[in-house]
Amino acid sequence: MIQWDGKSRGTVLGYQIFVFFIKKIGIKAAYRLLYFVVFYYFIFLRKSNRAIFYYFRERIGYSYFKSKRMIFKSYYTFGQTIIDKFSIAAGMRNKFTYEFDGITLLKRLLADKKGGVLLSAHIGNFEIAEYFFGEIDSAFQINLVTTDLEHSSIKKYLERITQKSSVKFIFIKEDLSHIFDINSALARNELVCFTGDRYFEGVKLVSENILGASANFPAGPFRIASRLQVPVIFVYVMKESQLHYHLYAREAQVKHRDEKGLLRAYVESIESMLKKYPLQWFNYFDFWNSLDTKDKN
C-alpha cells in the first residue's frame, strides 16, 4: 500500500526563486516560470505520473492521449494554486477576485457561535479559505486538524516571508490527545476543519467507492464529526480563471454516530466538485491502490 508521506516536494531555493518572481515581476510571470518546473515533473516523477494518469484514464474516463496531456495540465494547475497561496499570504490578496457560494450558510454558522466542523479535501486550494472567512467575519477562528510532517527548513522560510495566518493548528498525536484540543476549540465556539482524503500508516480506515472504485479513507474525521452534534459543512475553494477563486459551502445532513453515512455524503460532494474541476484533484499518489506491484517499487 502506498500512502502519502505528508511532505511536499521542493527545496528552499526553489521557493525563493518563485517568491522573487512573484514580488519583483508579478504573479503571472511566476506562472510562466512554472512551465519549466512542470516539465521536469512530467518527465521524471514516475510514480506520481502513473497515479494521476490512472485517475484521468480509469476514473474520469479520458482517452489515453488526453490523459497524458492532462497530467501536465494538472501539475501546472497545482503549481498555480501554490503560487496563489504564497501571493495572498504575502499581502497580494487584492490581486485576486473571490466568489462565494453558500455564504448565507457560513454567516449563520459563525453568527450562531456554537462551533462547527468543516470537511474539505485536497482538491482546489482550501488553504486560502481563511481569506474568504475574513470577509464574512473578521473574528472567526478556524482550527485545522493536521499532521506536522513538512520539511522544517521550508516551513521556517515560509513563516518568515508571509503574513501570520489566523488559522490555528491542532496536530494529530499518537496518544489521541488532539481529541481534547478539538473539544476545547468547539467549546470556544470555534470551527474545526478536517481534510478527509489522506491517511497514514497505522490509522483506522474505512472504505468507500469514489469515482467508481473503492478507496480507503481515514475513519477519524468522519467518526469525530458524526458524534460532536455540531453542524458539519463541506467546504472547497476552487480555482477558476487565472486570478479568480470560487468558494463552495454545503451543509451535510448528518445522523448522530453515522460515520459511514457522512463519508458517503462527503464522497458525493467531492465527486460533484471533480465533475466541474477535474484538473484540481491533487492527490499525487496511488489513491485507489490500483497500480501494478512493479510500478510501486
Side-chain angles (χ1 to χ4, degrees):
M1 173 70 71
I2 292 179
Q3 296 118 9
W4 181 63
D5 64 8
K7 297 180 180 179
S8 301
R9 294 186 179 272
T11 64
V12 172
L13 177 61
Y15 281 94
Q16 288 173 332
I17 292 171
F18 273 99
V19 169
F20 173 83
F21 268 75
I22 291 168
K23 289 186 173 182
K24 301 299 183 181
I25 308 177
I27 297 169
K28 292 185 178 179
Y31 285 172
R32 289 191 288 272
L33 178 65
L34 189 61
Y35 280 108
F36 297 98
V37 179
V38 170
F39 182 76
Y40 172 86
Y41 275 46
F42 182 75
I43 296 299
F44 294 107
L45 293 193
R46 182 169 173 262
K47 288 184 178 179
S48 61
N49 286 348
R50 289 180 182 273
I52 198 67
F53 176 81
Y54 173 85
Y55 159 72
F56 286 124
R57 182 77 176 101
E58 303 297 334
R59 303 277 54 89
I60 300 297
Y62 292 153
S63 69
Y64 177 89
F65 291 106
K66 183 174 182 178
S67 297
K68 287 292 187 181
R69 292 196 305 271
M70 295 296 270
I71 294 173
F72 189 94
K73 290 183 178 181
S74 173
Y75 285 142
Y76 184 70
T77 304
F78 181 52
Q80 285 184 313
T81 66
I82 294 175
I83 289 171
D84 296 346
K85 178 180 68 175
F86 295 154
S87 301
I88 293 170
M92 300 181 187
R93 183 180 179 282
N94 63 335
K95 301 289 186 180
F96 296 82
T97 55
Y98 309 88
E99 181 178 350
F100 296 87
D101 189 343
I103 188 171
T104 303
L105 174 63
L106 294 173
K107 283 184 174 180
R108 190 189 76 214
L109 181 66
L110 293 166
D112 287 347
K113 298 187 181 301
K114 295 180 180 178
V117 170
L118 307 181
L119 279 175
S120 192
H122 292 87
I123 63 174
N125 197 359
F126 182 76
E127 291 183 355
I128 66 168
E130 63 176 291
Y131 302 98
F132 285 85
F133 281 86
E135 284 199 358
I136 300 171
D137 183 349
S138 60
F140 88 99
Q141 185 64 68
I142 286 183
N143 299 266
L144 181 60
V145 182
T146 186
T147 58
D148 189 23
L149 298 178
E150 188 57 273
H151 298 287
S152 60
S153 58
I154 294 176
K155 283 176 61 178
K156 290 177 181 177
Y157 172 68
L158 296 178
E159 288 170 357
R160 190 168 69 249
I161 66 166
T162 58
Q163 298 174 349
K164 183 175 176 59
S165 171
S166 60
V167 170
K168 295 191 292 188
F169 294 92
I170 297 175
F171 295 112
I172 297 173
K173 303 180 181 69
E174 289 186 5
D175 63 2
L176 301 182
S177 59
H178 57 278
I179 302 296
F180 298 102
D181 296 330
I182 292 170
N183 285 325
S184 295
L186 292 172
R188 296 191 300 269
N189 303 320
E190 296 175 355
L191 306 180
V192 176
C193 177
F194 298 90
T195 51
D197 59 340
R198 288 183 183 171
Y199 65 89
F200 301 89
E201 187 175 357
V203 304
K204 185 176 177 58
L205 303 177
V206 59
S207 297
E208 183 58 74
N209 271 22
I210 178 169
L211 297 175
S214 180
N216 291 325
F217 297 83
F222 306 99
R223 178 170 295 178
I224 293 170
S226 68
R227 298 183 181 192
L228 287 175
Q229 296 185 302
V230 295
V232 178
I233 312 295
F234 300 137
V235 181
Y236 311 101
V237 182
M238 310 304 292
K239 184 176 179 67
E240 293 190 333
S241 60
Q242 279 198 333
L243 300 178
H244 180 78
Y245 277 90
H246 191 144
L247 180 142
Y248 294 86
R250 298 289 185 270
E251 186 168 9
Q253 302 302 315
V254 185
K255 294 181 180 179
H256 186 50
R257 303 179 74 87
D258 181 16
E259 56 260 34
K260 187 68 174 178
L262 178 58
L263 173 60
R264 182 65 243 162
Y266 172 76
V267 165
E268 290 173 355
S269 75
I270 292 176
E271 290 174 333
S272 69
M273 286 293 103
L274 292 176
K275 185 176 181 179
K276 295 182 67 174
Y277 307 95
L279 280 173
Q280 296 188 51
W281 170 264
F282 298 140
N283 283 308
Y284 294 108
F285 61 98
D286 190 6
F287 189 85
W288 286 270
N289 193 34
S290 57
L291 303 182
D292 293 338
T293 301
K294 64 180 180 180
D295 292 332
K296 297 179 182 179
N297 296 328

